[in-house]
């Protein structure tokens, strides 16, 4: 169930079940996202990370539990950067047009963009360092340049919430560093909440304030420090099971929410 209307958080999820094409992707997902927060979602392939983002955008309906979206998010929109496709790479639009398309929710009126929309797009391109690419097409750009352009587009869509699905996949180390730096600036300088899906746990611990792990058997939600403690306990439990041949050793809890105990 999706419910609108919460006061303190942009998103609240309790005991959420997610399914994609009839297959359960994740269960018992519990977390909150506050204004200005930076939450990194980690987990193995098929653990439901991308499906969770699609549930927040409304593309996928929850199969169970509660997902609450604040009125502020509905009013101000969501900046969404999905995993890039070949169609996106080859789309024959200029960088300026791509970034401006993020304003379509608000100031855009077809192809007649208002001055406010044009300024918003120009500011986003300046912040992401792609203003000099404005007349090029996406197909002319490197992977890192293309991702910064699409991040600028997402910025134009919302000042409140960015959902980023594997934004650095396939980028070289320099481009990865540049993307993380840009996301950090958007979060800290603009106060925009960020929810980022990543396979890179070390990145999550370095960049985020909170971590949501959807790893099967030892899922977690809480602070970065809480996640480190949780992983240490999991490792110790695994070592104990191995020493005892898998018998008489304590099992790791199915799901831990740092502030609320087991759920």
């Amino acid at each position: 169930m999706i419910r609108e209307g919460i006061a303190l958080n942009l998103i609240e999820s309790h005991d959420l079940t997610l399914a994609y094409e009839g297959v359960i992707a994740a269960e018992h997902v519990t977390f909150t996202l506050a204004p200005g927060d930076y939450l990194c979602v980690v987990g193995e392939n098929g653990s439901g990370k991308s499906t969770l983002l699609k549930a927040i955008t409304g593309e996928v309906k929850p199969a169970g539990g509660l997902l609450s979206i604040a009125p502020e998010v509905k009013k101000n929109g969501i900046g969404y950067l999905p995993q890039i496709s070949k169609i996106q790479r080859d789309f024959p639009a200029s960088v300026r047009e791509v970034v401006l398309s993020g304003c379509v929710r608000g100031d855009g009126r077809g192809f007649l963009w208002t001055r406010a929309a044009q300024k918003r797009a120009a500011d986003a391109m300046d912040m992401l360092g792609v203003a000099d690419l404005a007349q090029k097409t996406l197909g002319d750009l490197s992977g890192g340049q293309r991702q910064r352009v699409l991040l600028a587009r997402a910025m134009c869509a919302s000042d409140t919430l960015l959902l980023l699905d594997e934004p650095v996949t396939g980028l070289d180390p320099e481009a990865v560093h540049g993307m993380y730096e840009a996301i950090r600036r958007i979060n800290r300088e603009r106060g925009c909440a960020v929810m980022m899906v990543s396979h890179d746990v070390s990145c999550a611990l370095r960049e985020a304030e909170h971590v949501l792990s959807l790893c099967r058997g030892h899922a977690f939600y809480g602070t970065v420090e809480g996640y480190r403690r949780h992983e240490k306990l999991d490792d110790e439990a695994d070592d104990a099971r191995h020493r005892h041949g898998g018998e008489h050793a304590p099992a790791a809890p199915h799901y831990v929410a740092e502030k609320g105990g087991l759920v």
Side-chain angles (χ1 to χ4, degrees):
M1 176 174 64
I2 298 178
R3 185 177 69 192
E4 295 174 358
I6 37 180
L8 298 178
N9 295 311
L10 299 179
I11 302 171
E12 287 187 2
S13 168
H14 181 72
D15 202 27
L16 186 67
T17 298
L18 299 168
Y20 190 71
E21 296 183 347
V23 178
I24 297 295
E27 296 179 284
H28 312 297
V29 179
T30 296
F31 72 95
T32 61
L33 183 73
D37 198 1
Y38 193 150
L39 171 66
C40 198
V41 184
V42 299
E44 62 265 33
N45 287 334
S47 61
K49 302 184 301 296
S50 297
T51 305
L52 176 58
L53 297 192
K54 291 176 181 178
I56 293 169
T57 63
E59 185 178 343
V60 172
K61 291 185 178 180
L66 180 66
L67 180 63
S68 296
I69 310 295
E72 180 182 357
V73 174
K74 182 177 180 182
K75 177 183 177 182
N76 297 332
I78 295 173
Y80 182 34
L81 179 55
Q83 295 183 30
I84 193 166
S85 66
K86 185 177 186 300
I87 293 175
Q88 289 173 310
R89 288 194 295 268
D90 297 339
F91 192 69
S94 71
V95 164
R96 182 174 180 274
E97 289 168 338
V98 170
V99 177
L100 270 169
S101 69
C103 302
V104 72
R105 178 183 173 86
D107 299 325
R109 298 183 178 91
F111 292 101
L112 300 176
W113 302 102
T114 66
R115 289 183 180 178
Q118 293 180 48
K119 184 179 187 306
R120 186 176 180 86
D123 289 345
M125 287 190 289
D126 283 339
M127 186 174 190
L128 273 296
V130 295
D132 60 329
L133 305 174
Q135 301 307 316
K136 292 183 177 292
T137 65
L138 285 185
D140 295 329
L141 307 182
S142 68
Q145 290 171 331
R146 185 164 49 240
Q147 285 298 82
R148 291 203 304 275
V149 168
L150 294 175
L151 182 58
R153 180 187 184 278
M155 282 178 59
C156 286
S158 178
D159 290 322
T160 301
L161 174 61
L162 288 182
L163 301 181
L164 311 176
D165 195 352
E166 301 282 4
V168 301
T169 296
L171 303 185
D172 62 55
E174 183 178 355
V176 167
H177 176 78
M179 276 295 290
Y180 283 144
E181 183 178 28
I183 295 166
R184 191 183 313 122
R185 287 188 63 197
I186 295 169
N187 174 246
R188 296 178 182 177
E189 296 179 16
R190 297 202 170 195
C192 183
V194 173
M195 186 170 176
M196 178 176 70
V197 165
S198 177
H199 278 103
D200 186 352
V201 176
S202 63
C203 144
L205 300 183
R206 184 178 64 249
E207 299 291 335
E209 297 173 27
H210 292 88
V211 178
L212 174 63
S213 170
L214 300 182
C215 293
R216 293 183 177 88
H218 53 101
F220 171 88
Y221 165 71
T223 63
V224 169
E225 286 305 314
Y227 178 78
R228 288 194 175 103
R229 291 193 298 270
H230 171 72
E231 288 296 286
K232 182 179 179 181
L233 290 173
D234 265 0
D235 290 343
E236 291 173 352
D238 286 342
D239 289 343
R241 280 193 292 275
H242 290 149
R243 286 197 303 271
H244 292 83
E247 297 180 356
H248 310 300
H254 178 65
Y255 199 101
V256 174
E258 186 182 26
K259 296 179 182 179
L262 297 183
V263 293

